[in-house]
Amino acid sequence: MSELAIKIRIADRDYPMRVDVQDEERLRMAGRLLGDKLREFREGYGIQDKQDLLAMIALATMADQLKVSKEKDGTDAALTERLARFDELLSGVVLAS
């Protein structure tokens, strides 16, 4: 895989990174989204300290990730249960030859 040297700007600081070519756009998008969140939190909470803003964003992001993970686990469990019931129904079907 080919690597690129890029810089991502977060809270007025540049962070140099070496990334795989296929990851570049995802990381750049993450950097833009983080910048948007910084502005949103700064305006919404009136906080100017960048470390406090980044900590709040990290906490909100992890809480969102945990929520999505829990919802996915619930969806996976429901799907597994439905497939098991479907399998039981199919095993009871006798095919005529």
Side-chain angles (χ1 to χ4, degrees), residues 32 34-44 53 57:
R32 285 190 295 273
L34 186 51
D36 293 345
K37 280 287 185 192
L38 280 164
R39 282 185 290 284
E40 177 185 321
F41 274 62
R42 186 181 306 119
E43 293 167 4
L53 287 167
I57 292 167

Side-chain angles (χ1 to χ4, degrees), residues 17-34:
M17 305 176 75
R18 294 197 63 74
V19 300
D20 289 332
V21 172
Q22 72 262 17
D23 294 333
E24 178 190 11
E25 185 55 34
R26 182 175 51 88
L27 287 166
R28 290 192 187 278
M29 175 67 75
R32 285 190 295 273
L33 292 172
L34 186 51

Side-chain angles (χ1 to χ4, degrees), residues 6 8 39 51:
I6 65 171
I8 302 293
R39 282 185 290 284
Q51 184 173 342

Side-chain angles (χ1 to χ4, degrees), residues 33-76:
L33 292 172
L34 186 51
D36 293 345
K37 280 287 185 192
L38 280 164
R39 282 185 290 284
E40 177 185 321
F41 274 62
R42 186 181 306 119
E43 293 167 4
Y45 295 103
I47 297 170
Q48 297 303 315
D49 183 80
K50 291 174 186 155
Q51 184 173 342
D52 289 343
L53 287 167
L54 289 169
M56 290 177 67
I57 292 167
L59 177 63
T61 301
M62 289 306 297
D64 289 346
Q65 184 177 352
L66 289 170
K67 180 180 177 184
V68 167
S69 179
K70 185 176 181 179
E71 290 171 355
K72 180 186 174 294
D73 289 346
T75 301
D76 288 350

